[in-house]
């Protein structure tokens, strides 16, 4: 069933668990994620990032995934991840996304608040939720223009109060697109933010965070973890091995049927950590 972030995050923020937001790039991994969620009977968020939207177009992404979402036996949020242009956000909402992230993290605070608020007005009128970001979570590779800026508690408080966002992504040592869990989380900074901000908090760059820290984070006001790189590793490392082992084969569905269970397995591992 289709839900938005407000249906699943406030409860998680107030409890000792978090909801995973898995980045997906097509029907195959979406099916694997939903299968994992149904196996553990947990809500899940499907995150569609800029690369996917640029490749397919936001309307095509919605058309591809919404049938799977509606048919699911568990709550599923279809979420547009980091998006910098309001025009794409509004197209996503019109196409049926139940949640969007307007990423104004590279903007001056006042502009970030104003533009997020404008997005929230539209999204809320359509029954969708909005995620914003304060501070700036850097990338290990691929987006060198994204700055590294730790979240200032005072800015997070103002953003939460004035932007209309339903949850806030924070930068506390987490890094996007890490291939190993080597980030150093600033728990003191996170505690200061959590004491002042009542909205659910979000961590991006989960693959770079060790299991011990994930368990500690889920017990705070962190309600949503964005998880992507470890899933892509699970799919493509195993897919490469499978194809190398059977070089005479060339059918996409044949290999996907063999590789997708590894994605389900990795999703289940993360569900266990965050439950």
């Amino acid at each position: 069933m289709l839900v938005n972030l407000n249906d699943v995050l406030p409860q998680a923020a107030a409890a000792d668990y978090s909801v995973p937001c898995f980045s997906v790039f097509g029907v195959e991994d979406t099916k694997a994620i939903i299968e994992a969620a149904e196996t553990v009977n947990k809500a899940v968020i499907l995150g569609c990032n800029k690369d996917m939207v640029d490749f397919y177009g936001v309307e095509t992404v919605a058309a591809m995934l919404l049938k799977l979402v509606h048919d699911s036996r568990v709550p599923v949020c279809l979420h547009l991840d980091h998006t910098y242009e309001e025009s794409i956000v509004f197209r996503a909402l019109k196409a049926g996304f139940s949640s969007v992230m307007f990423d104004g993290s590279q903007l001056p605070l006042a502009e970030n608040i104003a533009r997020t608020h404008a997005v929230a007005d539209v999204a809320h009128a359509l029954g969708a939720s909005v995620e914003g970001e304060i501070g700036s979570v850097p990338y290990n590779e691929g987006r060198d223009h994204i700055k590294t800026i730790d979240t200032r508690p005072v800015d997070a408080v103002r953003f939460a109060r004035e932007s209309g966002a339903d949850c806030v992504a924070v930068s506390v040592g987490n890094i996007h697109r890490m291939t190993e869990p080597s980030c150093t989380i600033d728990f003191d900074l996170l505690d200061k933010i959590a004491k002042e901000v009542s909205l659910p908090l979000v961590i991006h760059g989960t693959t770079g965070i060790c299991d011990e820290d994930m368990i500690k984070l889920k017990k705070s006001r962190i309600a949503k973890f964005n998880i992507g790189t470890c899933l892509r590793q699970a799919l493509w490392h195993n897919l490469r091995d499978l194809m190398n082992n059977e070089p005479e084969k060339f059918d996409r569905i044949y290999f996907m049927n063999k590789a997708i269970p590894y994605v389900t397995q990795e999703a289940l591992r993360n569900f266990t950590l965050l439950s």
Side-chain angles (χ1 to χ4, degrees), residues 16-227:
D16 289 344
Y17 71 92
S18 297
V19 183
C21 175
F22 294 112
S23 296
V24 295
F25 295 90
V27 169
E28 296 95 343
D29 46 353
T30 299
K31 290 178 67 175
I33 296 304
I34 292 177
E35 178 183 335
E38 291 178 338
T39 297
V40 295
N41 195 31
K42 300 287 186 181
V44 70
I45 304 160
L46 303 177
C48 302
N49 75 3
K50 187 177 187 300
D51 293 339
M52 186 186 188
V53 169
D54 287 348
F55 185 80
Y56 287 109
V58 70
E59 292 83 6
T60 301
V61 171
M64 288 167 57
L65 305 187
L66 278 172
K67 180 65 165 61
L68 296 172
V69 172
H70 284 298
D71 288 349
S72 173
R73 299 191 302 272
V74 296
V76 182
C77 176
L78 184 61
H79 178 71
L80 181 69
D81 201 10
H82 296 275
T83 304
Y84 311 100
E85 301 89 4
E86 289 91 339
S87 60
I88 297 175
V89 169
F90 296 148
R91 284 168 52 196
L93 291 168
K94 184 178 180 180
F97 276 76
S98 61
S99 185
V100 294
M101 179 184 184
F102 175 72
D103 185 350
S105 62
Q106 306 306 296
L107 303 172
L109 178 61
E111 185 178 356
N112 187 3
I113 289 171
R115 291 174 66 177
T116 302
H117 196 287
V119 167
D121 283 345
V122 175
H124 293 159
L126 296 172
S129 54
V130 175
E131 178 180 335
E133 182 171 321
I134 283 296
S136 178
V137 180
Y139 282 75
N140 185 48
E141 56 85 20
R143 297 184 188 174
D144 294 339
H145 65 288
I146 301 297
K147 294 172 282 190
T148 304
I149 306 173
D150 287 345
T151 301
R152 296 176 63 215
V154 64
D155 293 342
V157 169
R158 182 180 170 191
F159 183 85
R161 184 176 61 242
E162 300 178 16
S163 69
D166 301 296
C167 59
V168 181
V170 295
S171 178
V172 290
N174 42 320
I175 301 172
H176 289 106
R177 297 186 180 178
M178 295 289 285
T179 57
E180 298 289 341
S182 56
C183 292
T184 300
I185 299 299
D186 188 339
F187 283 98
D188 289 339
L189 175 58
L190 177 62
D191 287 343
K192 292 176 183 176
I193 297 167
K195 287 177 182 177
E196 300 292 334
V197 176
S198 59
L199 292 179
L201 302 178
V202 179
I203 285 288
H204 290 240
T206 301
T207 302
I209 302 172
C210 69
D211 291 356
E212 181 181 355
D213 284 351
M214 284 179 65
I215 292 169
K216 187 175 179 180
L217 285 165
K218 77 174 183 179
K219 295 178 180 179
S220 69
R221 287 199 58 79
I222 300 297
K224 172 177 176 279
F225 283 78
N226 281 32
I227 304 167

Side-chain angles (χ1 to χ4, degrees), residues 256-270:
M256 281 296 181
N257 278 331
K258 287 180 172 290
I260 282 299
Y262 293 101
V263 179
T264 303
Q265 182 179 355
E266 180 62 18
L268 289 170
R269 185 185 73 83
N270 281 279

